[in-house]
Amino acid sequence: MQSLRKTTTWMIPSGMRIARKSAGEMGSGAGKGGGGGGSIREAGGSFGKMEVAHEEEYFYKQRQEQLAKLKQKAINQEDFHSESIKHHEEAIARHKKAIEQLKK
């Protein structure tokens, strides 16, 4: 009997890739999982690790700003639609009043 395994494919944005522990820590030097990110990161050591930390902080702050903008946009859309509903209800009331006057 064959065993069917279900596989899951995860799509991870390139800026969020996680270094594998078996390959070394990010910022620990070229060829150790942290190389290819510039001369400071390729050199490794404390400065390479510090550079990785700065990059992670930068991207974290950038994601937080994007989330705040997205939240504000959703709030603005809700306000817009609520205001539109109010205007439409007023227009309906005016039209009903006009129809009642025409019937008299």
Side-chain angles (χ1 to χ4, degrees):
M1 186 183 275
Q2 290 183 343
S3 173
L4 298 175
R5 289 193 303 168
K6 186 176 183 180
T7 59
T8 305
T9 303
W10 294 91
M11 299 299 291
I12 301 174
S14 61
M16 296 177 63
R17 298 209 187 270
I18 301 170
R20 295 182 181 167
K21 290 290 180 184
S22 63
E25 293 181 4
M26 291 182 67
S28 61
K32 299 179 184 174
S39 60
I40 292 176
R41 285 180 67 178
E42 287 177 4
S46 298
F47 286 112
K49 291 177 183 177
M50 185 174 62
E51 181 64 25
V52 170
H54 286 293
E55 288 178 14
E56 292 298 321
E57 179 183 11
Y58 170 78
F59 288 115
Y60 174 80
K61 287 181 180 179
Q62 204 173 39
R63 282 192 302 270
Q64 294 304 314
E65 288 175 12
Q66 289 172 345
L67 287 172
K69 287 178 183 177
L70 186 62
K71 183 178 179 180
Q72 187 60 45
K73 184 177 179 180
I75 291 169
N76 290 344
Q77 285 180 346
E78 179 187 8
D79 293 342
F80 170 77
H81 290 299
S82 296
E83 198 65 29
S84 294
I85 290 169
K86 179 181 166 187
H87 288 294
H88 288 296
E89 287 173 343
E90 290 171 357
I92 290 169
R94 281 193 314 271
H95 289 290
K96 284 183 179 181
K97 187 177 179 181
I99 291 171
E100 288 299 320
Q101 288 178 354
L102 289 173
K103 287 182 180 179
K104 290 182 182 181

